[in-house]
Amino acid sequence: MADARVLKAVAAVEDALPAREFAPMEIAAAVAWSRQAAASRLAFAHEFLRLRNVFSALATGEIDLPKARVFCEETSVLPSAKAERVCAILLPQAPLLTTGQLRAKLMRLVLGEDPDAATSRHNEKVASRRLVFEPDRDGCANLLGLDLPTDKARAAADAVHAHARLASAFGSKRTMGQLRADAFLNLLTGKPSSGRGGSVELTASLQTLAKLAETPGELAGYGPVIADIARKVAAQQEKACWTYTVHDTESGEVFHGTTRSRPSTSDCQHKRRSILGDRLNAPSAHAHVASPGEEKRPSTGTGRAEPGLDRRRATAQVARIVRARDRRCRAPGCRVPASRCDLDHRQDWAKGGRTEAGNLVALCRFHHRAKREGGWRYLSTKRGTYVWRSPLGSIYTVGPEPP
């Protein structure tokens, strides 16, 4: 509430002066800020006050200043009326979202509000891409790539991460941060380095890929991207085997499969028939061949084989289903992509829990440990909602990821 009053007062100073140019000097002198800090706060006050619903939420204590900043920053590219409309959609949810979650949701809504303008902004930004070398006073240096195309930057980062993980697997004692930095320099300087290439995990609707809609896609580890970038990323995966996911909006169920076909407008016209065929002809999600040394629960003596369900580790197909369903770590406030998460047994494997999609949930390593060692507990509902209970007895609800 005090933050809202301060911002309103800052803006009022400018309105009261005969020459608005010198408002930062007046503010800086009054509260012992630098002139640059005063100018920055004044600019934020202007952006903030144009969003009347956000100002009201801050003034009444419904949101805090960091969340108000996110609203202002992410909607700054929209006209006031459109910006307020986007904010109105998320303000009721904002108290329960982290700033990272709020920013991701706002990015998606802003991209969808005016896809053509979003594409123009993206192209202008990419046109200013550059490489910056910054020496520092300790004899080190920073090497920065700025305003890069999202798809290529994400793939490059994944390639660096893959090389770092490989080095770690071979016993390197360096930290992951050091390994990534070393892999980055090795790749740029042409030094031989083993490891696989980068990959991009993209989520996009079939309509978007077939150019029937401009709905934003999403790059794991980055966030929402304009439809044009989603299509460009998809077009680059010429030899890849794609996975597809069909969401049943009524039951919350997820149907999952793989294909080497590429989407077209005819795919959308015949989608219903294709989905039905995939569901009828798909192989069992529990098909499994044991690998040497794999941990397996002792036989129950019933004589009935249940392939895959009595192993601790999920089959590749079951893992794909769970990660496609959960999208991210399902702990409160966490946005780690499911592709980087552990698969936790809701009912412990050691206590008879099966290794099947309905008994698995994606949790990042930290939140997996919080459940196993930190006293946190959760249960799930049929609609894909997870209800967590903290060691202090607080209850937190995590809704399903939207398709």
Side-chain angles (χ1 to χ4, degrees):
M1 291 183 278
D3 290 320
R5 289 196 297 269
V6 168
L7 290 170
K8 193 172 183 178
V10 165
V13 170
E14 185 179 54
D15 294 335
L17 291 175
R20 301 168 70 92
E21 174 187 355
F22 300 104
M25 179 179 176
E26 182 80 28
I27 297 167
V31 294
W33 290 346
S34 69
R35 186 159 53 88
Q36 290 76 14
S40 176
R41 187 66 65 92
L42 181 60
F44 174 58
H46 282 306
E47 192 65 36
F48 175 67
L49 290 172
R50 82 179 183 119
L51 302 174
R52 292 166 296 180
N53 48 3
V54 176
F55 175 80
S56 177
L58 181 63
T60 57
E62 297 172 42
I63 62 173
D64 56 21
L65 186 61
K67 291 180 182 178
R69 283 188 178 278
V70 172
F71 275 109
C72 292
E73 291 167 359
E74 294 303 323
T75 61
S76 63
V77 297
L78 296 177
S80 295
K82 288 185 176 181
E84 284 196 319
R85 183 165 64 244
V86 166
C87 292
I89 295 172
L90 286 180
L91 274 170
Q93 307 173 37
L96 300 177
L97 299 174
T98 66
T99 53
Q101 290 173 319
L102 179 61
R103 191 179 297 278
K105 289 179 179 290
L106 279 167
M107 286 174 63
R108 188 174 185 87
L109 287 175
V110 169
L111 292 178
E113 187 68 29
D114 192 342
D116 292 336
T119 300
S120 296
R121 291 194 300 271
H122 169 79
N123 292 338
E124 290 175 7
K125 200 70 178 288
V126 170
S128 68
R129 63 193 180 276
R130 58 206 180 276
L131 184 70
V132 177
F133 176 81
E134 297 178 341
D136 71 17
R137 58 176 170 269
D138 296 317
C140 297
N142 301 317
L143 187 61
L144 310 172
L146 304 177
D147 297 334
L148 306 176
T150 303
D151 54 329
K152 294 181 180 179
R154 183 67 261 172
D158 286 345
V160 168
H161 184 69
H163 282 77
R165 291 192 60 163
L166 187 65
S168 178
F170 275 95
S172 174
K173 301 302 181 183
R174 291 167 288 174
T175 66
M176 282 303 295
Q178 292 169 338
L179 289 169
R180 291 190 190 99
D182 293 345
F184 171 68
L185 292 175
N186 289 343
L187 289 168
L188 285 178
T189 56
K191 183 178 178 180
S193 177
S194 58
R196 61 177 176 83
S199 62
V200 176
E201 182 183 339
L202 169 73
T203 302
S205 69
L206 179 61
Q207 289 86 347
T208 294
L209 296 181
K211 296 186 177 181
L212 297 178
E214 294 300 311
T215 307
E218 183 160 337
L219 279 176
Y222 174 81
V225 293
I226 58 175
D228 192 48
I229 287 295
R231 287 190 286 265
K232 187 182 296 184
V233 172
Q236 292 168 355
Q237 317 308 313
E238 295 180 359
K239 299 180 180 180
C241 182
W242 288 8
T243 61
Y244 64 85
T245 303
V246 181
H247 293 262
D248 187 324
T249 55
E250 293 185 5
S251 69
E253 288 184 284
V254 175
F255 307 104
H256 182 89
T258 60
T259 181
R260 289 190 178 274
S261 300
R262 296 299 180 254
S264 66
T265 54
S266 60
D267 291 322
C268 296
Q269 295 166 359
H270 299 289
K271 182 169 61 174
R272 235 179 243 282
R273 185 179 65 185
S274 300
I275 292 169
L276 179 60
D278 289 331
R279 289 173 62 184
L280 291 176
N281 300 320
S284 167
H286 305 312
H288 182 78
V289 176
S291 58
E294 182 176 19
E295 194 170 4
K296 179 178 178 180
R297 184 182 292 114
S299 172
T300 59
T302 60
R304 291 179 296 177
E306 295 179 305
L309 301 187
D310 56 352
R311 269 80 178 179
R312 183 186 289 274
R313 292 177 61 85
T315 65
Q317 188 170 9
V318 169
R320 283 196 298 266
I321 292 171
V322 175
R323 292 191 166 105
R325 179 196 68 204
D326 290 348
R327 302 273 299 280
R328 296 183 179 89
C329 172
R330 305 305 289 137
C334 190
R335 299 190 67 247
V336 174
S339 59
R340 300 179 189 174
C341 288
D342 298 338
L343 298 184
D344 178 51
H345 287 75
R346 288 164 47 194
Q347 179 186 357
D348 285 349
W349 179 83
K351 297 180 180 179
R354 292 184 166 193
T355 306
E356 58 187 356
N359 192 46
L360 296 174
V361 58
L363 295 179
C364 71
R365 183 61 53 85
F366 177 84
H367 288 116
H368 194 178
R369 290 182 55 244
K371 184 237 181 180
R372 296 181 63 87
E373 304 169 21
W376 286 77
R377 296 291 180 266
Y378 67 83
L379 57 86
S380 65
T381 70
K382 292 182 179 179
R383 299 291 296 181
T385 296
Y386 291 86
V387 181
W388 285 76
R389 183 180 185 276
S390 80
L392 299 180
S394 299
I395 302 297
Y396 303 95
T397 300
V398 181
E401 282 292 319

